[in-house]
Amino acid sequence: MTENAQQQPSAPPTELPTQYAPADVEGPLYERWVERGYFEADAKSDKPPYTVVIPPPNVTGSLHLGHAFEHTLIDALTRRKRMQGFETLWQPGMDHAGIATQNVVERELGKEGKSRHDLGREAFVERVWQWKGESGGQISGQMRRLGDGVAWSRERFTMDEGLSQAVQTIFKRLYDDELIYRAERIINWCPRCLTAISDIEVEYQDDDGELVSMKYGEGDDTIVVATTRAETMLGDTAVAVHPDDERYQHLVGKEIRLPLTNRSIPVVADTHVDPEFGTGAVKVTPAHDPNDFEIGQRHNLPSLTIMDEHAVITAHGPFQGLDRLEARSAIVAALRAEGRIVAEKRPYVHSVGHCSRCKTTIEPRLSMQWWVKVGPLAKAAGDAVRDGRVKIHPQEMEKRYFDWVDNLHDWCISRQLWWGHRIPVWYGPNGEVVCVGPDDEAPTGEGWHQDTDVLDTWFSSGLWPFSTLGWPEQTESLAKFYPNSVLVTGYDILFFWVARMMMFGLYAMDGTPPFHTIALHGMVRDQFGKKMSKSFGNAVNPLDWMDKYGSDALRFTLARGANPGVDVPIGEDWVQGSRNFANKIWNATRFALMNGATVDGPLPDAGKLSATDRWILSRLNAVVAEVDALYEDFQFAKLSDTLFHFAWDEVFDWYVELSKTTFMAGGEPAKVSGRVLGEVLDVTLKLLHPIVPFVTETLWTTLTGGESVVVAEWPKAVSVPGADAPGGFQDAVAEKEIESLQSVITEVRRFRADQGLQPGQRVPARLTLDGTPFAAHEAAVRQLLRLQPEGEDFSATATLPVAGATVALDLSGTIDVAAERKRLAKDLAAAEKEKAQAGAKLGNEAFLAKAPDNVVDKIRTRLAKADEDIARIQSQLDRLPQA
C-alpha cells in the first residue's frame, strides 16, 4: 500500500444502508483500489507470478458486451490468484488499429473538406496522434466502470516507443533469417481503404449476385465456363479442366478464342478443378483470384491486371474507365449480343467478402507486398500444443487450431496506409534494399527512400505478451512475468491473433511459448441466441445495463453464461435477476450484522454447534472445494451457479431462516450461530468477490473490518475445534438431518399452496418429531411453516408423513372443504378428459401414419401432462378431510 493511499479520506463504511445503491458505491471503491496499488505487479516480488494480457482493444473502440464478457472472466481469474498469494499482473493496453483509426481521422478531415493527401504523410500522422490524445482510448474509463483490476501503471500502446522498438527488432531478425520477403501475390484489396487487408478484416456475407455461363472458343473447340464476376474475363489467361475429364481431352493444350478481346488462351489440365462442379471447366484469371494465381504459377501463365486500386477497369477497349460493377453489366450485355451467354441466374445468392471497416466488396488483386514465411514458425506453434507445453481449453478446440496452423499460408504483412509501424526497409538509387534495425542508422543520400507501407496491426499485437514486458531488453518484468499463465480470448481470433502470438513468442523467446494455457470462450449473443448487431436492432450498450442495474449484475450474468468455448446468450431480464441476487446478498448481510454475526475469534468447539451450524459449515467446505476445481477448469458458468445456489438457497433461505428462532431466543446458542454465520458470510463473500467485486467489497469490509477483500486471503477449508478432518470440517450426519428437515418443510409448504392457504396464514398443527433426527428443530419448523400450537379442540383433518416425521394439520377453520373438493373434482374431470382425447389420437394408427412428427410429439406431451395433473389432483383430494 502506498503512503499516499493510506492518507486518503475515503474509507469503507462501518454500517450498511438499508438499500444497495451501486452508483454510489462502485466509482469510489474502484478509485480506492487503484490509489492503494492493489492491481500493480512487482517484478522483484518473491511471490509466484500469474500473468494475463488483455486482448488489446482498438484505440477507436468503446466497451461492448464482448469486451465486458471477456474482461469479467479475466478479472475473476486474476482477482482470485491475487487473493491466493500470487504476484498477479493483468497487463492493460490498446492497439493502434491501423485501418480503423486512419478511417476515423480521414472522416474528420472530410468534414473540413480535406483529405490526408492535402496534409501529407507527416502532418497526417501527427493529426492521428493528436486525435488519439484527445478522443482515443475512451474504453479505458469504461474498463474502470466494469471493475477491471489491471495494472494501469504498465499500460501500453502498440505504437509507443518501446513497442515500436520491439516491432523493428523482430522484423529485422525475421528478415535476416529469410523469414520475411517481398513478392507479388494475390491479396485482399479494399478499393475504398486503398490497402491490402488481412483475412480477419474480411467479413463474409450472402449477397444477391448473378451467375453467368458463357461460351469461349469456336465450333468443336467451344467450352462453357461460369462466373459471378464476369468483368474479370478480360484478365483470363487460360481455361482449366481436370486431367482425367474425358470431355475435354481433345482441348487440353489447344488455344481457344477469348471473347471481346483479340487474344487466344490455352486450355490447361489442373487437378484443382472439380469435374463434378458446373461444367467441369473454369476460367483462370491469375491476377484477380487466389486459386487462379496458383494455377497460373503451376502452368507459367501470364498475370494480367485489369483493374486499378479503385477497382476501375484499366484493360484496353470499350470497358476501360468503368467501375467493376458497371463493367460487369456491360460485358454481360456485349457477350449476350455475340450469342455467348448460355445461362444467367439472378439473383444468385453467394458468399462475398467485404471490408470489415467500410463494408466495401473486397477485390482479390495481384500486388507487390511484404510477406512472412510462416512454414517453420507455424510448425513450432503446432508442436508447442502437440507436446503439451501449451494447453488449449476446451480441448476439443485443438482440432481447429491444428487445422489452421498446419495449413497456414504465408502472411501478407504490408498495408498501404500511413498510420502504423512503417516497414523498416530502405531502397537505394541502384536497386539496393536495406533492412534497418533499431540500433542501425538508416541510409541517407540522394535516391534513398523508405518503403511507404506500414505493417499489419496483427504484426505488432502478435508481440504483445513479451513486448509489453520490455523485450527486446532483458528486463526484470520479462524474466518474472513471461510466459503468461493463461490467455483468455474468443475462439473467433484463435487463428489470427493467437496463432501469431504463438509463432512470434516461440521465435523471439528461444522456444518458450507465450502462455501455458489458451482458454477460449464463445461470443455474446442475444437471449434468443442471435448474433448482436445494430442492423438487427438487438445490440446492447453494456454501460446502459451497468447504469441501470450495477456493474456486478452485468458481470454475474455474463459469468453465469460462460461455458468454455460456447456462445453466451444474454437478456436484460437476466441482468435484472443478477441485480436481485446482489440485493439478496446485501439484505442478508444486513440481517446477519443486526443479529450478531461476527468473525471475531475462532469458531466454537464442535460440541457447541447445533445440527444447523454443522450442516452449513460442512456444506461451505464442499462449496470451497467445488469452486476451486471449477476455476482451474475455467468453468465460470458452473462455479457462478454453484455460488448462486449456495448463497441464496442454502445460506440465506435455509440457514438464516432456520437460525432466526435461535437469534430471537438469544443467549449462548445465538452467539454460537452468530459466529458461524459470520464465518460463512466471510468465506462466501470472498468466493463471490472475483465475479461481483463491488458489493462483496462493501459487505466484507463492513462485516470483518478488514482492509479490503481484494487483498484478503482466498478461502481454504474451514476447521472446527474438536472436529478436525482431512480437507476441513465435514459432517455427513448433519447434512442428512437438514436435508430431511428441508424435505418436511418443502412438502408442507407445497401442501399449503395446493390448498390455497395464504403464505402468512397460521394453521394449528401437531408435529410428531420424536424418533426423528430433528426433534430439536420444532420451533424453527413452526416459524417457517406458520404452524401454531394445537388447541384443546384440535382435529387433524390432514396428515402428512414425510422424511420420518408426521405433520398433522387442522384445516377445519381455514378452508371450505366441500368447495375445495368440488373444485378439485372439476379439475380432475378436465384432466381425465384431456388424457382420454390424447390417448385416443395416439391409439389411432391412421392418424399416426399421416401426422407430422412435431404434431405427434405435442400430443405425447399433452398426455404426459394430463397424467401428471391427475396424480397431483388425486393426491390433493386424498389429503383433504372428508366433508
Side-chain angles (χ1 to χ4, degrees):
M1 183 189 302
T2 64
E3 181 179 342
N4 181 56
Q6 291 177 355
Q7 297 172 356
Q8 294 297 321
S10 57
T14 55
E15 59 182 38
L16 295 174
T18 56
Q19 291 184 323
Y20 177 49
D24 297 337
V25 169
E26 293 173 352
L29 269 188
Y30 188 84
E31 290 310 312
R32 187 186 309 132
W33 292 334
V34 173
E35 289 162 0
R36 292 180 173 180
Y38 291 155
F39 305 139
E40 297 303 325
D42 183 2
K44 294 182 171 64
S45 166
D46 58 2
K47 296 178 182 178
Y50 187 82
T51 316
V52 185
V53 294
I54 193 172
N58 288 351
V59 67
T60 58
S62 59
L63 191 74
H64 57 63
L65 273 178
H67 289 129
F69 172 55
E70 186 169 77
H71 291 198
T72 294
L73 304 188
I74 301 174
D75 198 37
L77 290 174
T78 52
R79 284 179 182 269
R80 173 175 175 260
K81 286 296 182 180
R82 190 176 293 112
M83 296 172 73
Q84 287 182 314
F86 286 77
E87 192 62 36
T88 302
L89 169 61
W90 182 10
Q91 173 66 53
M94 285 182 293
D95 190 278
H96 65 278
I99 294 177
T101 306
Q102 180 157 317
N103 280 349
V104 167
V105 178
E106 285 196 84
R107 281 196 296 270
E108 292 297 314
L109 284 174
K111 295 175 184 177
E112 303 170 15
K114 297 178 183 178
S115 73
R116 61 182 163 119
H117 300 285
D118 295 324
L119 272 65
R121 182 168 193 143
E122 187 175 337
F124 176 77
V125 171
E126 185 178 337
R127 179 70 176 261
V128 180
W129 277 108
Q130 179 185 341
W131 174 88
K132 190 258 182 187
E134 295 173 355
S135 306
Q138 63 173 310
I139 195 170
S140 296
Q142 296 164 346
M143 288 165 59
R144 293 170 181 263
R145 282 286 315 277
L146 189 65
D148 285 6
V150 299
W152 286 114
S153 69
R154 292 173 173 266
E155 187 174 12
R156 303 304 299 269
F157 179 56
T158 52
M159 287 274 289
D160 68 27
E161 184 177 352
L163 270 64
S164 294
Q165 182 184 18
V167 168
Q168 198 171 352
T169 299
I170 201 163
F171 187 100
K172 171 71 171 172
R173 291 188 186 179
L174 289 165
Y175 181 87
D176 290 345
D177 287 344
E178 299 184 348
L179 293 173
I180 281 183
Y181 64 94
R182 193 170 184 241
E184 196 173 40
R185 298 275 185 87
I186 292 285
I187 44 85
N188 301 309
W189 181 264
C190 175
R192 156 61 183 79
C193 298
L194 298 181
T195 181
I197 65 174
S198 66
D199 292 337
I200 188 62
E201 293 160 328
V202 179
E203 292 181 349
Y204 287 90
Q205 65 185 47
D206 288 341
D207 286 357
D208 286 344
E210 59 181 2
L211 180 65
V212 178
S213 298
M214 47 197 182
K215 186 167 54 177
Y216 288 6
E218 307 290 347
D220 292 339
D221 292 345
T222 297
I223 196 166
V224 175
V225 297
T227 183
T228 58
R229 301 163 64 216
E231 68 279 7
T232 62
M233 61 87 60
L234 298 176
D236 286 359
T237 56
V239 170
V241 298
H242 194 276
D244 300 332
D245 194 333
E246 296 181 357
R247 293 172 295 177
Y248 302 116
Q249 290 295 318
H250 67 290
L251 288 177
V252 174
K254 283 190 175 183
E255 298 261 336
I256 61 173
R257 178 173 173 265
L258 179 66
L260 307 182
T261 71
N262 293 320
R263 295 190 291 115
S264 293
I265 57 176
V267 177
V268 300
D270 195 280
T271 54
H272 169 76
V273 180
D274 181 0
E276 302 298 324
F277 183 77
T279 64
V282 297
K283 58 191 289 297
V284 181
T285 319
H288 293 279
D289 182 276
N291 293 321
D292 293 3
F293 178 79
E294 297 295 333
I295 294 174
Q297 293 289 295
R298 287 193 288 272
H299 297 277
N300 296 315
L301 301 173
S303 296
L304 302 181
T305 299
I306 56 132
M307 294 181 212
D308 66 12
E309 63 270 24
H310 298 280
V312 171
I313 302 297
T314 57
H316 292 297
F319 311 108
Q320 188 174 8
L322 294 180
D323 172 80
R324 57 182 166 169
L325 299 182
E326 296 172 336
R328 184 176 300 172
S329 299
I331 287 170
V332 171
L335 289 169
R336 193 183 298 114
E338 286 193 6
R340 295 278 179 177
I341 299 297
V342 175
E344 297 178 70
K345 185 176 182 181
R346 294 189 187 88
Y348 178 72
V349 179
H350 62 131
S351 181
V352 177
H354 295 260
C355 174
S356 63
R357 303 301 177 190
C358 67
K359 310 308 176 187
T360 302
T361 299
I362 290 302
E363 188 63 44
R365 186 169 187 261
L366 186 63
S367 178
M368 182 66 76
Q369 302 286 343
W370 285 94
W371 304 80
V372 172
K373 185 185 296 182
V374 299
L377 303 175
K379 181 181 184 304
D383 290 346
V385 174
R386 286 190 169 93
D387 64 25
R389 282 176 289 157
V390 178
K391 305 288 187 185
I392 293 181
H393 190 279
Q395 190 174 0
E396 54 265 28
M397 288 286 182
E398 282 187 2
K399 182 180 184 302
R400 297 180 67 177
Y401 177 79
F402 292 135
D403 286 346
W404 180 256
V405 297
D406 293 347
N407 299 285
L408 199 56
H409 296 130
D410 284 1
W411 171 21
C412 176
I413 56 172
S414 46
R415 298 291 179 266
Q416 289 65 55
L417 304 171
W418 288 356
W419 173 245
H421 294 282
R422 195 164 174 182
I423 288 176
V425 172
W426 270 254
Y427 304 104
N430 299 312
E432 302 96 332
V433 179
V434 176
C435 181
V436 177
D439 299 324
D440 300 332
E441 289 289 334
T444 58
E446 186 176 350
W448 283 93
H449 64 280
Q450 187 178 357
D451 196 299
T452 57
D453 288 352
V454 301
L455 288 164
D456 178 13
T457 298
W458 297 102
F459 191 94
S460 52
S461 62
L463 314 181
W464 192 247
F466 52 93
S467 63
T468 52
L469 297 172
W471 186 91
E473 301 299 324
Q474 298 305 306
T475 64
E476 287 183 322
S477 290
L478 188 64
K480 177 74 173 181
F481 295 113
Y482 186 92
N484 288 192
S485 305
V486 62
L487 173 73
V488 180
T489 192
Y491 62 68
D492 58 321
I493 56 173
L494 172 64
F495 315 133
F496 307 106
W497 187 45
V498 179
R500 274 114 173 98
M501 285 191 292
M502 285 285 284
M503 291 190 295
F504 282 164
L506 289 159
Y507 174 80
M509 299 300 293
D510 300 321
T512 302
F515 17 73
H516 297 301
T517 302
I518 302 168
L520 298 171
H521 59 73
M523 304 295 101
V524 179
R525 297 181 177 272
D526 71 11
Q527 59 188 322
F528 305 109
K530 190 174 182 180
K531 180 180 178 181
M532 285 191 172
S533 166
K534 290 181 180 178
S535 60
F536 295 155
N538 63 349
V540 173
N541 183 346
L543 297 172
D544 293 340
W545 281 353
M546 287 193 281
D547 288 341
K548 194 171 183 180
Y549 303 110
S551 298
D552 284 333
L554 176 64
R555 289 171 60 116
F556 192 74
T557 304
L558 291 167
R560 205 173 177 192
N563 290 296
V566 179
D567 289 345
V568 182
I570 185 172
E572 184 170 1
D573 55 337
W574 303 343
V575 185
Q576 184 175 355
S578 295
R579 187 271 312 273
N580 295 344
F581 178 51
N583 289 341
K584 183 79 170 180
I585 303 170
W586 184 272
N587 293 331
T589 306
R590 285 189 72 248
F591 169 85
L593 289 169
M594 290 187 293
N595 284 275
T598 179
V599 295
D600 296 336
L603 283 170
D605 290 344
K608 295 182 178 180
L609 300 178
S610 69
T612 310
D613 295 332
R614 295 195 304 276
W615 162 73
I616 198 62
L617 290 172
S618 185
R619 286 292 304 129
L620 179 68
N621 279 344
V623 168
V624 169
E626 184 177 356
V627 167
D628 275 333
L630 291 171
Y631 259 117
E632 295 304 316
D633 199 34
F634 305 101
Q635 297 282 355
F636 296 99
K638 290 182 179 178
L639 71 89
S640 299
D641 212 47
T642 295
L643 288 171
F644 174 87
H645 287 294
F646 175 71
W648 191 309
D649 300 345
E650 297 186 80
V651 179
F652 305 147
D653 279 359
W654 282 111
Y655 180 75
V656 169
E657 292 300 321
L658 287 170
S659 301
K660 278 183 177 179
T661 53
T662 302
F663 289 132
M664 286 188 291
E668 185 63 21
K671 291 181 180 179
V672 169
S673 291
R675 179 65 189 89
V676 170
L677 180 53
E679 186 75 15
V680 171
L681 285 174
D682 176 19
V683 173
T684 302
L685 291 170
K686 287 177 181 175
L687 293 174
L688 283 166
H689 172 73
I691 298 174
V692 285
F694 294 108
V695 67
T696 51
E697 171 80 340
T698 306
L699 296 176
W700 186 86
T701 52
T702 305
L703 172 70
T704 68
E707 176 188 339
S708 172
V709 71
V710 177
V711 291
E713 185 177 353
W714 182 253
K716 297 176 182 176
V718 173
S719 295
V720 174
D724 289 339
F729 177 74
Q730 297 173 337
D731 193 328
V733 173
E735 288 194 42
K736 183 174 179 58
E737 178 176 333
I738 301 303
E739 286 172 9
S740 298
L741 182 63
Q742 290 170 332
S743 296
V744 172
I745 294 170
T746 300
E747 184 63 24
V748 175
R749 280 175 172 168
R750 183 181 296 116
F751 177 76
R752 286 177 58 107
D754 287 344
Q755 304 310 315
L757 297 177
Q758 296 300 312
Q761 188 173 356
R762 294 196 168 274
V763 178
R766 177 187 299 138
L767 306 184
T768 306
L769 302 175
D770 294 337
T772 67
F774 40 79
H777 301 290
E778 180 168 350
V781 171
R782 288 190 177 277
Q783 174 66 23
L784 289 172
L785 293 175
R786 303 296 188 267
L787 302 179
Q788 63 190 40
E790 54 188 294
E792 291 184 3
D793 56 349
F794 178 83
S795 174
T797 58
T799 302
L800 305 176
V802 57
T806 303
V807 180
L809 303 172
D810 184 354
L811 304 178
S812 57
T814 57
I815 62 172
D816 185 336
V817 176
E820 185 64 13
R821 280 191 169 278
K822 185 176 181 181
R823 182 185 70 80
L824 289 173
K826 183 178 179 181
D827 291 346
L828 182 62
E832 289 173 338
K833 181 179 180 182
E834 173 72 1
K835 177 180 180 179
Q837 291 175 341
K841 286 188 176 182
L842 293 175
N844 186 333
E845 294 296 335
F847 170 77
L848 293 176
K850 295 179 181 180
D853 290 344
N854 64 318
V855 172
V856 175
D857 288 342
K858 285 182 180 179
I859 294 172
R860 288 196 177 109
T861 301
R862 284 172 49 196
L863 180 60
K865 177 66 165 54
D867 281 333
E868 291 176 6
D869 289 344
I870 290 169
R872 175 179 55 80
I873 297 167
Q874 191 61 60
S875 175
Q876 291 174 240
L877 281 167
D878 291 344
R879 289 173 171 176
L880 279 175
Q882 296 299 316

